[in-house]
Amino acid sequence: MSLIVHSEVPFNAEPPLDVLRSSSITEQSDFYVRSHGDIPRVEADGFALAVGGLVATPLRLSLADLRALPQAEVEATMQCAGNRRADMLEVRPVAGDPWSAGAIGNAHWSGVRLADILRAAGADTSLGRHVGFSALDEVEMDGKRFRFGTSIPIGKAMSPEVRVASAMNGAPLAPRHGYPLRIVTPGFAGVRSPKWLAAIEVRDAPSDCPIQAADYKLLPPDVERVEDIDWSRGVTIDELPVNSAICVPQAHARLSPGRLDLRGWASATAREIVRVDVSTNGGRTWRQAHLEGRRSPWAWVLWDAEVDLSPGEHELVVRAWDSAGQTQPARADDTWNVKGYLSAAWHRIPIVVG
Ligand SMILES: Nc1nc2c(c(=O)[nH]1)N[C@H]1C(S)=C(S)[C@@H](COP(=O)(O)O)O[C@H]1N2
Ligand SMILES: [Mo]
């Protein structure tokens, strides 16, 4: 319980990077929290999840009804589209909280497969459909108040990894992580995993909630001010790019000369991470890190590398590669965008040795 708080209301906080890197499974109490409004208090008694829209049989499922359906666990990493925004902020101003590299975590999620619920309702699963989610928290944006909602394309919704989750690491979801129910969409940005889930709706278009329609899109670099945003020019953020970070040591550390263990995470939500390179000289020369084994295709990869440091100032760098041979941009300017999303440049850590 050592989170670095970016904002109390709404509550936004991330763990220190050494805490984050200390375990491949992130405890609920160490898991970043990203909320857009107040944390709603939901009573289990009388709670029902509504399933409707383009379905043959609309459903209302109590928590007991959901418990009676087959339960399945998935180990998956959740990451905010704004993770590492602080690095992009150093280039030029961007809107949003200055997340370091801790708006990410990996957990065992359990609950019912979303596909099972959609099948039970006789959902129309034809191409071009979307599954919208509405939540119980109220959000205020641009002077308007509305309930949080997003959607995912039907193909992803029917994939076996997506959950209507009631538990995280074997315990009920904590209130701030969505008690009693949340969606978990492994491989997609955290925003597509609504907490405090109230309703599921099969639709012929994406959710028209402003969170889906007027936020969480990648804008081109010529949009330089938030006031100038035309959201129709943005690309909806679902999958996330190859990314990595050094968690140990931390930036500006003062270290003794000799052997040093670098540790961090790497993630590519749509593909496998196949290699992680580290540099102690700002990226002039590289060596490969050791990758920890992974039990789930949806999980991050933790890595470590032993380096030898001489006295002086050094820039430690990490970059990861995916199975398609794609890697990270060298500098945050390369992908600067006004909302500071998908900040995934080489992670650079200045340190002093001696
Ligand atoms: N209802 C609701 N769901 C939500 C949010 C929210 O504000 N309200 N934030 C989203 C975002 S942007 C992220 S990154 C993840 C964060 O989940 P966590 O707080 O459990 O880490 O929740 C998503 N689901
Ligand atoms: Mo997010």
Side-chain angles (χ1 to χ4, degrees), residues 9 75 94 105 108 126 136 171 176 178 279:
V9 185
E75 182 186 328
V94 292
H108 291 290
S126 27
L136 294 165
R176 66 193 194 184
S279 169

Side-chain angles (χ1 to χ4, degrees), residues 82 85 89 92-98 225-226 229 336-341:
R85 180 182 281 130
L89 187 59
R92 266 189 282 160
V94 292
D97 284 327
R225 299 179 335 146
V226 189
I229 296 176
W336 183 93
N337 60 95
V338 72
K339 291 283 304 200
Y341 289 136

Side-chain angles (χ1 to χ4, degrees), residues 52-54 124 128-133 151 201-208:
L54 303 172
D124 174 356
R129 303 292 185 231
H130 296 260
V131 178
F133 309 113
S151 61
E201 185 192 15
V202 181
R203 306 167 49 87
D204 58 12
S207 166
D208 42 32

Side-chain angles (χ1 to χ4, degrees), residues 10-13 31-38 40 78-82 99 103-105 109 134-137 139 147-150 168 173 176-178 182-183 189-197 211 216:
F11 189 62
N12 289 314
F31 208 95
Y32 81 97
V33 183
R34 168 61 174 124
S35 293
H36 293 69
D38 285 342
M78 178 143 351
Q79 182 180 188
C80 184
W99 298 102
I104 185 171
W109 309 93
S134 33
L136 294 165
D137 52 329
V139 180
R147 288 188 194 274
F148 183 98
T150 55
M168 189 174 173
L173 292 167
R176 66 193 194 184
H177 292 301
R182 80 175 301 168
I183 293 291
V191 69
R192 311 296 167 216
S193 293
K195 307 188 270 191
W196 314 294
L197 181 68
I211 298 283
Y216 291 92

Side-chain angles (χ1 to χ4, degrees), residues 208-227:
D208 42 32
C209 178
I211 298 283
Q212 180 78 27
D215 209 354
Y216 291 92
K217 292 187 182 190
L218 185 64
L219 292 155
D222 55 287
V223 182
E224 296 194 36
R225 299 179 335 146
V226 189
E227 306 80 65

Side-chain angles (χ1 to χ4, degrees), residues 223-244:
V223 182
E224 296 194 36
R225 299 179 335 146
V226 189
E227 306 80 65
D228 297 340
I229 296 176
D230 166 3
W231 286 104
S232 69
R233 296 187 64 207
V235 175
T236 296
I237 296 169
D238 284 337
E239 291 172 346
L240 297 173
V242 183
N243 209 337
S244 61

